[in-house]
Amino acid sequence: MRYATLMEAQMGEYPDSLVLTDGQMLEALATEVPEWIAKHKFKDWRSYEARHEMGWYAEIHYDEWRRAMMEETRAQWARAAFRCRIGDSQGFFYACGKRDDGTYQYVGFRYGLEDCEYASGFLDMTYTPQGENK
């Protein structure tokens, strides 16, 4: 199907989409926790077998590792967002795939009218609306 505007293209393909302002995207980049980190368990940690050797420091080290991985992932998302915004100032960020809890499963950047003209680069990024959009 042919669309006249980016908004029509996005809503035609993903009717549950929420368009994000640059400010909302910036806030999400700073606050959203990557799903793989949220679901990660201490026993799945690569250094779990050495926890007895580390002693009391093992859980602290695990928490530091999780924070570092979260910041690294957020930095990857931010670089992707920067590339998207610089690459096409007319495009927009969006969230889609609304879940029962009000969060959105996918985040992306729409830059063209065709169904394949969107950018991701936001692997495992969800979006939690603040305020009235929830």
Side-chain angles (χ1 to χ4, degrees), residues 5-26 28-29 32 77 80-81 84-85 88 90-98 102-129 133:
T5 68
L6 290 178
M7 183 65 75
E8 285 178 7
Q10 183 64 30
M11 297 312 257
E13 293 166 28
Y14 305 100
D16 67 347
S17 291
L18 176 65
V19 174
L20 306 177
T21 65
D22 288 353
Q24 288 171 313
M25 185 62 174
L26 182 62
L29 289 169
E32 293 293 325
W77 293 341
C84 290
R85 177 52 66 213
D88 190 332
Q90 299 303 309
F92 57 84
F93 295 104
Y94 66 88
C96 66
K98 191 171 186 178
T103 63
Y104 289 79
Q105 187 171 355
Y106 306 105
V107 175
F109 183 81
R110 169 66 69 170
Y111 62 86
L113 298 176
E114 299 301 320
D115 63 352
C116 62
E117 291 182 314
Y118 65 89
S120 186
F122 308 104
L123 184 62
D124 285 330
M125 183 176 185
T126 58
Y127 180 73
T128 306
N133 292 328

Side-chain angles (χ1 to χ4, degrees), residues 9-77:
Q10 183 64 30
M11 297 312 257
E13 293 166 28
Y14 305 100
D16 67 347
S17 291
L18 176 65
V19 174
L20 306 177
T21 65
D22 288 353
Q24 288 171 313
M25 185 62 174
L26 182 62
E27 183 178 324
L29 289 169
T31 59
E32 293 293 325
V33 176
E35 283 201 320
W36 74 272
I37 290 177
K39 294 176 182 177
H40 198 275
K41 306 284 186 238
F42 181 53
K43 66 180 180 162
D44 297 329
W45 180 42
R46 63 179 180 198
S47 298
Y48 182 74
E49 295 301 320
R51 70 189 182 285
H52 298 297
E53 295 169 21
M54 288 186 227
W56 61 270
Y57 186 69
E59 287 190 39
I60 294 170
H61 186 59
Y62 173 67
D63 288 340
E64 289 176 356
W65 174 82
R66 281 184 51 161
R67 274 193 294 280
M69 292 296 99
M70 184 168 40
E71 289 307 314
E72 182 178 312
T73 302
R74 286 177 175 165
Q76 290 171 354
W77 293 341

